[in-house]
């Protein structure tokens, strides 16, 4: 694992955007695995700014998002479909037909998840997978549990995740209780992984991801076994980790 310490959120976002830009410049037809959440918003903004200047070109890129709430339409403002359009895709020169998010509007969990696995496999898996990390060490919606998950599957969200995500809804009751998520095994198939993290509330999870035992009780800890994983995190998120 490569760990890059940044002074603050802005620095984290610029460095992460640099890594993603380099990937796309080196391979214009890159397959990117993408994440939602608050952490990557600055990275997406920076990439959009560079794209507007002509410094990075997404016209041949295809993307596969990690997860989506079950039961929300693609137009629902709380859906990850909507999040990706408004925070990223609408601001870059990507072909929307090349962007993919699990189909949360399909109530048939097995069919929706099987179809997503088929599409990700057919694309050859991401060249670069961008990840955030939950306070409990989750990646995608792969919550702590007795084993590491495999392919795309439906999950029941934990109380802590529902609570954390409720800040984006009017009330906790409105947070969907289920989601479809890429599995940990699929995430590990990516040829490179970039984790972004900021803020003190992520410090425990970041420590366990980088230095704890590889344990499904902290799903992100498996990233220690990936051969090309980079963590870009600010001082606060790395405050519990030893300085290299
Ligand atoms: C979102 C996702 C989640 C988030 C994590 C951190 O697609 O996969 O694992 O990355 O919950 O979320 P933020 O960045 O909001 O702290």
């Amino acid at each position: 694992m490569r760990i890059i310490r940044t002074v603050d959120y802005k620095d984290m976002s610029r460095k992460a955007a640099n890594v993603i830009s380099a990937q796309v410049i080196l391979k214009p037809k890159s397959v990117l695995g993408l994440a939602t959440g608050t952490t990557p918003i600055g990275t997406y903004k920076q990439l959009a700014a560079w794209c507007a200047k002509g410094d990075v070109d997404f016209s041949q890129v295809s993307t596969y998002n990690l997860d989506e709430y079950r039961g929300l339409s693609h137009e629902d403002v709380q859906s990850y479909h909507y999040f990706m359009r408004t925070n990223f895709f609408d601001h870059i020169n990507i072909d929307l037909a090349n962007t993919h998010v699990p189909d949360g509007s399909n109530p048939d969990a097995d069919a929706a998840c099987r179809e997503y696995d088929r599409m990700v496999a057919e694309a050859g898996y991401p060249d670069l997978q961008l990840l955030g990390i939950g306070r409990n060490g989750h990646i995608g919606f792969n919550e702590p549990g007795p084993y590491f998950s495999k392919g795309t599957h439906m999950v029941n969200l934990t109380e802590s995740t529902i609570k954390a995500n409720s800040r984006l809804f009017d009330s906790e009751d409105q947070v969907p209780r289920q989601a479809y998520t890429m599995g940990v095994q699929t995430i590990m198939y990516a040829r490179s992984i970039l984790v972004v993290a900021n803020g003190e509330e992520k410090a425990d999870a970041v420590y366990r991801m980088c230095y704890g035992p590889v344990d499904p009780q902290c799903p992100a800890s498996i990233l220690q076994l990936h051969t090309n994983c980079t963590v870009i995190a600010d001082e606060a998120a790395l405050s519990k980790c030893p300085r290299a």
Side-chain angles (χ1 to χ4, degrees):
M1 239 176 191
R2 224 174 274 120
I3 301 177
I4 297 172
R5 197 178 277 264
T6 70
V7 284
D8 56 18
Y9 178 76
K10 198 167 167 218
D11 188 21
M12 177 206 81
S13 302
R14 283 176 66 88
K15 286 189 164 69
N18 263 303
V19 172
I20 297 169
S21 291
Q23 170 64 47
V24 172
I25 290 166
L26 291 170
K27 185 178 176 191
K29 285 191 179 157
S30 285
V31 176
L32 301 180
L34 297 178
T36 57
T38 310
T39 319
I41 289 177
T43 305
Y44 292 148
K45 274 210 173 97
Q46 182 62 77
L47 286 169
W50 286 337
C51 181
K53 279 172 56 190
D55 289 346
V56 56
D57 173 12
F58 290 91
S59 61
Q60 298 180 74
V61 165
S62 55
T63 65
Y64 290 83
N65 262 77
L66 285 167
D67 44 16
E68 177 60 288
Y69 289 119
R70 179 172 185 240
L72 298 189
S73 79
H74 300 182
E75 277 66 48
D76 192 301
V77 296
Q78 300 290 2
S79 74
Y80 288 171
H81 278 82
Y82 184 88
F83 176 100
M84 288 310 297
R85 285 197 306 272
T86 51
N87 284 291
F88 196 32
F89 301 149
D90 287 351
H91 310 288
I92 58 172
N93 65 335
I94 199 162
D95 181 350
L96 276 184
N98 293 336
T99 67
H100 309 83
V101 180
D103 185 6
S105 71
N106 184 350
D108 183 341
D110 275 353
C113 295
R114 252 199 331 266
E115 172 61 6
Y116 204 63
D117 274 343
R118 190 197 61 73
M119 289 194 301
V120 180
E122 205 173 279
Y125 299 102
D127 293 297
L128 187 156
Q129 173 68 58
L130 176 65
L131 295 175
I133 178 171
R135 288 173 223 194
N136 61 4
H138 72 222
I139 48 176
F141 270 128
N142 295 286
E143 302 283 9
Y147 53 83
F148 291 109
S149 63
K150 305 247 178 326
T152 306
H153 58 288
M154 188 182 85
V155 287
N156 295 313
L157 304 190
T158 60
E159 277 311 309
S160 86
T161 298
I162 292 168
K163 227 181 199 54
N165 290 8
S166 66
R167 69 189 191 282
L168 305 168
F169 289 78
D170 289 338
S171 75
E172 212 174 293
D173 295 350
Q174 291 180 10
V175 185
R177 268 31 189 183
Q178 292 171 323
Y180 299 148
T181 183
M182 228 184 238
V184 170
Q185 184 178 61
T186 312
I187 292 171
M188 291 292 281
Y189 283 156
R191 281 177 283 292
S192 63
I193 294 186
L194 173 60
V195 188
V196 284
N198 73 292
E200 213 184 314
E201 71 271 18
K202 298 290 175 68
D204 273 325
V206 168
Y207 175 80
R208 292 174 71 202
M209 166 173 69
C210 300
Y211 295 98
V214 174
D215 178 350
Q217 290 302 332
C218 176
S221 64
I222 200 167
L223 300 173
Q224 290 174 44
L225 303 182
H226 197 282
T227 51
N228 190 359
C229 178
T230 303
V231 177
I232 302 186
D234 72 354
E235 288 283 357
L238 284 170
S239 56
K240 301 214 163 141
C241 294
R243 282 183 174 274

